[in-house]
Structures are given as C-alpha cells and as structure tokens.
Amino acid sequence: MTLLERIQCLDSTRHSASSEYATLSMDFNIVGHIQKSLFQKAFMDSVTPFVRDFGYSIGQNGVGDIIKLEVPLAMMSPNEKEKVELYSAKLDEIADYFVKIGIISRRHEDRYPVVSRGPIRKGIVWPSNEGRLIATIDRNLAPLFGIDSVGVHLLCFVKGTKSSDKDGGGPAISLWMAQRSAAKSSFPNKWDPTVAGGQPSELSLMENVIKEADEEAGIPSEMSRQATSTGCLSQMTSKGDGSCMKYSKYYIWDLEVLQEFRPYAKDGEVQRFEVWDADQLLQEVKEGNRLRPAMRLVVTDFLIRHGIITPDKEPQLSEIQAAMHRERLTFLSDGGNDDEWQ
C-alpha cells in the first residue's frame, strides 16, 4: 500500500455509506448528523422519553433525510444564552439516557461546542447563522451526533539528530512521541506526537495547547507559549464499522526543543515518551502500525513541512496533501415540506 493509500483509507467517506446517515438540526440549523439505525434504536421506541422533542421525516425504509431536535416552544427563550443552556440541558438528558441503555459507557467531563453549519432549508432567504453556538455537548455523545471533532497537537522536535542516507537522506530532525495509556478507551498503547488533546468549549485553541502540554508532558507554560502554529488538517472519520462519522480537524503547533529536553508522563494519559528520528517516522507512516491511525496525517504533515518527504522522493505528494485537507460532508436534501414532519 502506498503512503497515499494509507492516508486515503482514513477517510470514512470511502468506506461508510452516507445513505445510512440523516442530517441533524437544532434550533432550525444544521449541526451534525446521526446514523439512522441509532436513531431508530434509541429514539423511536415508545418508552423513549425524548420522542416528543424530535421531528423526523419518514422514508420508505424508516427514518428519512433530516432529524430535528427542538426544545418545546413552551420552554423556549428569546435570550440566546438561555437558549444555549436549554439545548445543552436536553443533550445532557440524552447523554444520561445513552449511558443507561449502554450506547455510551459514561459521561465525560469535557464539553464540545455545537455550532450552526447553516440554515436547515435550501433556497430560502435567511441570514447566515454559520458558526453560531447552539449548545454544548458531552464529549462522549458528540461523535454519535456527528459533531465536529477538534484536536490540538503540539509537536516537540529536535534538530541535530542525524538521519540516514536512505532515500537520499534528509534534514537531521527527530520528534518526541507519546505512548497512550493502556487504560485509554480508544487506541490504548498506540503512539501520538508529543501532546494531543480534544478541544473543550470553554478554552481557546492556544489555551488548550498550554493546558494539555502541562498535564500530559509536564511542559511549563512559558515554554509551550513559544510554539508556532503550522495549520490545520481535516478528514471525515468514523469507527471501523462506519458508525460515529464526523468531521475531524487537527490543529498543529511545532516547538523546537533542546537535546536535553525530557517530557514526562504527568496525568496518566501517557505511558512513556520516546524520541523517534526521521527514518523511524517515515517508516511508521509508510508501513507501521504503532501510531494511532489519525496521527498518520499529523506525522506525514510534519515530515513534509520539515523536508523529509519531498516531491522528488514522493511523486504523489500533491495528492497526499489534498487527502489531508478534506471538506466536511453534509448529509442534506432539500428538506421536504413542513407537513412531512412528525
């Protein structure tokens, strides 16, 4: 398998059927999507306590293209802050219910923002609400509702560790890698670049980098503040069975460190740290299976930016870069007629 194919196989739109998903709207704005089979299992049972708060279209084979979650009008407030709190509270009820019936194992302490992706109906004159905060959602519930996953990644690298002459050699550079805890619910024992963390709703991206750097690797704030933002990677991702499809964004910072630098496992999220040279990193993205799969993007991007992967050595470089910057897939038809809603 080529490096391009290894990057492309991470794109869930290549192996998950989009017809299995319905657009999810809240407050008449697109916010995500939900697997139709999950909605049928969790919400269409007569004992489900949330059916009254959902509108959904019915197709020939069950749930149709759009599912609406709306707070009852009697509870609605014109105040935006109160409206956000109402929708967030409703999502918390759903999270508790999903724990009860075993769809998610537990609630998470982090909350992700639920933001508008635009109005639900096509072809109507409506001021753009894109980016408006609709609610916040429990981190463990977010993937089931197709809410964007945003991560921050701090890559601590060292110059001066000589790379080999294999494939023509390259700049002498190495990268500190972190092995995930064996207790992690996802990808235990796999490897990430130095610091990685999900983006909570209450912090800025840089504030989160500083927090995660301290908690995961013992890096003081005065050091992590010197990191340089290098951009954002993106893909549609899902679990291996095609569930939990979501738009994943990876914001990346580089931090050059001295040879004497030693991160240490501080909060239990990481087992240990190792420094990998350019040859190890290149072998891993091309052939290895030690990395958490999505980190193949982050490490490949690092190797491109630092001149290890070049156009002369990698003829599919432009296709690889395009595969690491994918647009969000929106599951939406024209929305149908209002009298189709139940």
Side-chain angles (χ1 to χ4, degrees), residues 55-72:
Y56 51 92
S57 63
I58 299 295
Q60 291 183 346
N61 299 313
V63 178
D65 294 322
I66 301 177
I67 295 169
K68 298 178 179 179
L69 170 59
E70 302 298 343
V71 170

Side-chain angles (χ1 to χ4, degrees), residues 298-313:
V298 175
V299 174
T300 298
D301 174 70
F302 175 82
L303 293 172
I304 292 171
R305 291 187 291 100
H306 289 275
I308 307 300
I309 297 176
T310 67
D312 287 327
K313 298 175 187 176

Side-chain angles (χ1 to χ4, degrees), residues 12-24 32-41 57 61-67 143-146 237-245 329-332:
S12 61
T13 62
R14 290 176 170 266
H15 53 78
S16 300
S18 60
S19 60
E20 296 177 1
Y21 285 83
T23 292
L24 178 66
H33 45 267
I34 186 170
Q35 209 166 14
K36 295 176 185 179
S37 59
L38 171 64
F39 181 78
Q40 289 173 315
K41 174 183 178 182
S57 63
N61 299 313
V63 178
D65 294 322
I66 301 177
I67 295 169
L144 295 166
F145 279 15
T237 60
S238 70
K239 291 186 176 180
D241 61 2
S243 63
C244 295
M245 188 187 292
L329 180 64
T330 300
F331 305 86
L332 185 64

